[in-house]
Amino acid sequence: MFSKILVANRGEIALRIIRACKEMGIGAVAVHSTADANAMHVRMADEAICIGPPPSADSYLSQSAVMSACIVTKSDAVHPGYGFLSENPSFAQMLEDHGVNFIGPSAEHVRRMGDKIEAKRVMQSLNIAGVPGSDGPVESSDDAQRIANDIGFPVIIKASGGGGGRGMRIATGRDQVEGAFTEARSEALAAFGNDEVYIEKYLDRPRHIEVQVIGDGKGNGIHLGERDCSLQRRHQKILEEAPGPAIDPTLRARIGIQCAEAVAKMGYAGAGTVEFLYADGAFYFIEMNTRLQVEHPVTEAVYGVDIVREQIRVAAGQGLSIQQDHLNTRGHAIEARINAETVPEFRPSPGQVTTFHAPGGPGVRMDTAVYTGYEIPPWYDSLVGKVIVHSEDRASALAKLSQALDELIIDGIEHNAPLFQKLCANKDIQDGNYHIHWLESWLNETSW
């Protein structure tokens, strides 16, 4: 087992990983920018080292700074969390070249799955079908027009190497294809340094379903069911739940086993998420995330598995501590992402938290690194914490989430907890009757 793990992240996810390290008797090293000198993950780690000024490019995204921190602290492994360097194949390769373990899949798997076109090819070879669309990158607007005509409108043009809703444009007819193609390429180049795009059929009201998998890198893989992440704004998830309200046990077992077999055949090592659009009883693969997900706690609650611990075990060569036959769902879990932002404008709201109180009680968990007096910096993502509830069924989980949100106190900044209170009281949400476009339509129709 590792003696010391450097956590190459910040905020609630860094604190989550540090807790897992301490429970396993492993030393935890925090890295931080000058803006995060007083952050909770810095306080809770066994060691901490500053890696640069506030801008992410000069600190958390600086491969050389993180690598230097590994050398200085003599860390033998790095856990990247999510975001930042977690899906950067050159970073994973750099660690490998310097004899430092990357707590995640191989650099090759990170690279192949990070390219959405290549990921579709790999999954198709493993009998997991994608959304109908181009076989590879689209080189010109004429090609885009031809492919769109073949698969039928509407279509969506997507950045090959991107994510987070950037580099995406929808065309509902022939007259929109050229403009959508040009805009998607331009935004992709600006956001990711890569203007390669591809085309898919645009599904009108699908759900976003993702399957949690873990492989041991030795030809074995398991799945931990699915999460429904359909409540999204601008392609960003805001609420996730497990199990998915639209997926029955037979479907769950079928798609889960299919994904587990795929990662086993790939020789994949570590945690990953296979993401689908689900419509009319069919699953369409869209991408695979080769890292820990923001929403992993709902799966942990339903299956009783510590996913971070399993990541560390696999990376250390100890394999999985769990077997598929021993895994069963237990109740229902929901996660609400609490962001420092105004509602309904959704503008970031950094500043000092003058009072903070986390909700509690049976089946309530809050992952956060915020405390009274903490200054939320303007440099990073607006996520300040996640309220996770677990109960015997979906209805009681929604009731518990509403109660937990009532208890949550974050004074001094604006935050989006009132949004979730409205959602908990909405009949469509209570009935599980929503899709990936539902939230934006509802927001446009709702008065605040």
Side-chain angles (χ1 to χ4, degrees):
M1 181 49 70
F2 305 126
S3 60
K4 188 183 294 186
I5 292 175
L6 183 142
V7 182
N9 218 297
R10 64 178 301 279
E12 60 86 17
I13 193 59
L15 193 56
R16 162 75 181 92
I17 297 163
I18 289 168
R19 286 171 175 151
C21 290
K22 292 193 171 188
E23 289 173 10
M24 298 176 75
I26 302 169
V29 178
V31 295
H32 66 91
S33 70
T34 53
D36 279 337
N38 295 317
M40 187 61 74
H41 76 283
V42 175
R43 296 183 178 194
M44 293 296 104
D46 298 301
E47 299 176 53
I49 183 168
C50 182
I51 57 171
S56 298
D58 300 323
S59 51
Y60 297 106
L61 284 171
S62 173
Q63 298 182 44
S64 59
V66 176
M67 188 70 248
S68 297
C70 287
I71 295 169
V72 169
T73 60
K74 298 181 180 179
S75 299
D76 48 1
V78 170
H79 197 307
Y82 54 72
F84 294 133
L85 296 171
S86 63
E87 291 180 290
N88 188 311
S90 65
F91 177 62
Q93 188 64 58
M94 176 187 288
L95 293 176
E96 185 178 319
D97 293 342
H98 285 81
V100 179
N101 291 275
F102 180 68
I103 300 178
S106 67
E108 178 64 12
H109 278 138
V110 175
R111 183 192 65 77
R112 297 186 76 188
M113 294 299 105
D115 182 323
K116 292 182 174 61
I117 295 173
E118 176 64 13
K120 287 181 68 175
R121 289 174 180 151
V122 171
M123 288 302 182
Q124 284 172 356
S125 73
L126 296 169
N127 299 315
I128 295 181
V131 180
S134 58
D135 294 330
V138 180
E139 303 294 342
S140 68
S141 60
D142 288 342
D143 286 342
Q145 190 72 257
R146 175 182 53 79
I147 295 166
N149 290 339
D150 288 344
I151 63 177
F153 291 96
V155 298
I156 184 167
I157 301 172
K158 296 182 178 181
S160 174
R166 290 173 292 179
M168 290 185 182
R169 291 295 186 276
I170 297 168
T172 60
R174 288 177 55 86
D175 59 329
Q176 296 180 8
V177 172
E178 183 175 357
F181 175 79
T182 302
E183 290 174 11
R185 287 189 69 174
S186 177
E187 186 172 83
L189 181 62
F192 312 115
N194 176 4
D195 68 353
E196 192 174 78
V197 296
Y198 63 103
I199 295 181
E200 288 181 342
K201 178 71 175 176
Y202 181 72
L203 301 176
D204 185 36
R205 293 190 170 191
R207 300 182 86 106
H208 186 125
I209 302 295
E210 58 185 33
V211 178
Q212 178 71 63
V213 292
I214 311 176
D216 67 0
K218 301 174 183 177
N220 301 300
I222 62 168
H223 75 86
L224 298 173
E226 87 293 345
R227 297 181 287 257
D228 191 314
C229 306
S230 302
L231 281 177
Q232 303 177 10
R233 177 181 172 273
R234 294 184 177 177
H235 304 284
Q236 295 286 332
K237 305 166 188 173
I238 71 160
L239 182 146
E240 304 92 358
E241 59 182 307
I247 308 300
D248 63 36
T250 301
L251 270 178
R252 178 172 305 116
R254 177 170 64 82
I255 194 62
I257 290 170
Q258 197 174 4
C259 292
E261 290 177 348
V263 297
K265 290 175 183 176
M266 288 166 58
Y268 185 91
T273 305
V274 186
E275 305 208 358
F276 298 90
L277 293 180
Y278 173 76
D280 300 322
F283 291 92
Y284 300 100
F285 171 78
I286 50 174
E287 65 179 329
M288 181 175 181
N289 289 316
T290 55
R291 55 168 169 79
L292 193 66
Q293 295 280 91
V294 178
E295 57 272 21
H296 75 276
V298 294
T299 296
E300 293 184 326
V302 168
Y303 280 88
V305 172
D306 185 328
I307 296 174
V308 175
R309 177 186 287 264
E310 295 302 315
Q311 284 185 294
I312 295 170
R313 284 181 54 90
V314 167
Q318 294 188 349
L320 297 166
S321 69
I322 44 180
Q323 298 178 9
Q324 194 70 60
D325 291 346
H326 299 158
L327 291 168
N328 294 292
T329 58
R330 307 177 305 170
H332 198 93
I334 306 174
E335 173 183 292
R337 300 189 186 192
I338 308 301
N339 294 328
E341 61 188 8
T342 62
V343 177
E345 300 85 4
F346 297 100
R347 290 193 301 267
S349 177
Q352 187 178 53
V353 176
T354 56
T355 306
F356 175 75
H357 173 75
V364 178
R365 163 181 170 181
M366 185 163 189
D367 283 13
T368 185
V370 169
Y371 56 86
T372 296
Y374 176 66
E375 186 83 22
I376 296 176
W379 304 94
Y380 313 114
D381 186 89
S382 63
L383 179 69
V384 296
K386 305 175 306 198
V387 176
I388 306 106
V389 297
H390 180 229
S391 195
E392 62 270 16
D393 55 38
R394 189 171 183 273
S396 59
L398 276 169
K400 184 167 288 190
L401 177 60
S402 181
Q403 171 60 29
L405 292 167
D406 279 344
E407 290 186 24
L408 175 65
I409 299 173
I410 310 177
D411 290 339
I413 61 165
E414 297 291 323
H415 57 83
N416 63 345
L419 167 65
F420 294 109
Q421 287 286 33
K422 280 183 173 283
L423 290 174
C424 286
N426 183 275
K427 189 175 187 306
D428 281 346
I429 300 302
Q430 292 173 351
D431 294 342
N433 182 27
Y434 59 91
H435 49 82
I436 64 171
H437 308 302
W438 183 93
L439 180 61
E440 290 190 329
S441 296
W442 178 79
L443 286 169
N444 289 334
E445 298 166 358
T446 301
S447 60
W448 295 84

